[in-house]
């Protein structure tokens, strides 16, 4: 049985075994939570991202997938870099669900990851409405079994926390 928690906070400070990053396909450091994670993890993180093989030119992690690196200077031992869709993309709901599921599946597959924290993937620069994303996150979690003790959604704003909390109590 996996506990699911919603809380407000800064994911770079969370002490779960792994945290999830809202990354881009190049796994090149961007703004938002990605920039905050790179700043907190230190310069080894970008080197680790560059060592992940490209699947095609400029793409280390296609939209809807995820890749794992160490956490370096973060409290979390691992970072799972998930790439959500821009809201305007074709099949955006399916791709966002896939980004959540890939992240949680990678965490489940690692014996030394029992707890994972996720942000509201795609809800910043990529423009996804938080209420729609929260419902997709709920489906990604409730519709599957993960080998994890706890999944924490760490939301940056009070509004996002309210919306995610409502989705997970429906
Ligand atoms: N902790 C938790 N959540 C955070 C933090 C933080 N420190 N900083 C930002 N957030 C929240 C935002 O408020 C938003 O709700 O993370 C959510 C995702 O926003 P973005 O970081 O903008 O991610 P996304 O919309 O998926 O866009 C990804 O932005 O940073 C670039 O390289 C990244 O190109 C990619 C794109």
């Amino acid at each position: 049985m996996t506990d699911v928690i919603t809380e407000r906070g800064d994911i770079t400070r969370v002490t779960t075994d792994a945290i999830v990053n809202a990354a881009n396909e190049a796994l090149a450091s961007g703004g938002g939570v990605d920039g905050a994670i790179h700043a907190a993890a230190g310069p080894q993180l970008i080197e680790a991202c560059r060592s992940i093989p490209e699947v095609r030119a400029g793409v280390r992690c296609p939209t809807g997938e995820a890749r794992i690196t160490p956490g370096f200077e973060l409290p979390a031992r691992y970072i799972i870099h998930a790439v959500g869709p821009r809201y305007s993309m074709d099949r955006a709901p399916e791709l966002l669900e896939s980004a959540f599921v890939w992240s949680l599946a990678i965490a489940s597959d690692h014996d030394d990851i029992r707890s994972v924290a996720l942000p509201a993937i795609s809800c910043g620069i990529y423009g996804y409405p938080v209420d729609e994303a929260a419902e997709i996150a709920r489906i990604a979690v409730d519709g599957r079994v993960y080998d994890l003790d706890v999944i924490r959604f760490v939301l940056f704003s009070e509004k996002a926390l309210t919306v995610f909390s409502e989705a997970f109590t429906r």
Side-chain angles (χ1 to χ4, degrees):
M1 188 56 190
T2 304
D3 285 332
V4 183
I5 295 167
T6 54
E7 64 192 58
R8 188 168 177 195
D10 174 352
I11 207 164
T12 64
R13 305 174 73 93
V14 170
T15 58
T16 44
D17 298 324
I19 66 167
V20 174
N21 183 17
N24 54 60
E25 287 190 327
L27 300 183
S29 174
V33 70
D34 191 13
I37 288 172
H38 275 269
Q44 285 172 289
L45 178 56
I46 195 68
E47 295 306 320
C49 288
R50 285 183 187 134
S51 74
I52 292 171
E54 288 188 336
V55 295
R56 55 181 187 274
V59 177
R60 295 196 153 84
C61 180
T63 301
E65 298 189 12
R67 301 288 187 270
I68 191 165
T69 66
F72 299 107
E73 294 170 36
L74 286 178
R77 279 182 286 114
Y78 294 99
I79 304 165
I80 297 169
H81 305 264
V83 182
R86 288 185 175 77
Y87 186 55
S88 58
M89 280 173 86
D90 282 349
R91 302 188 301 119
E94 192 184 313
L95 291 166
L96 183 56
E97 184 179 348
S98 175
F100 282 120
V101 170
W102 266 78
S103 307
L104 293 168
I106 287 177
S108 281
D109 285 348
H110 272 67
D111 290 344
D112 57 344
I113 298 178
R114 300 301 313 164
S115 56
V116 61
L118 301 98
I121 299 169
S122 289
C123 291
I125 293 165
Y126 284 177
Y128 223 100
V130 179
D131 56 341
E132 292 179 33
E135 184 56 22
I136 290 168
R138 188 193 63 74
I139 291 166
V141 169
D142 286 354
R144 291 170 183 80
V145 176
Y146 298 105
D147 186 14
L148 295 167
D149 296 331
V150 63
I151 296 170
R152 288 165 62 174
F153 284 94
V154 177
L155 291 320
F156 209 46
S157 71
E158 197 61 43
K159 170 152 186 302
L161 172 61
T162 302
V163 173
F164 268 70
S165 300
E166 282 174 4
F168 278 93
T169 50
R170 264 201 290 277

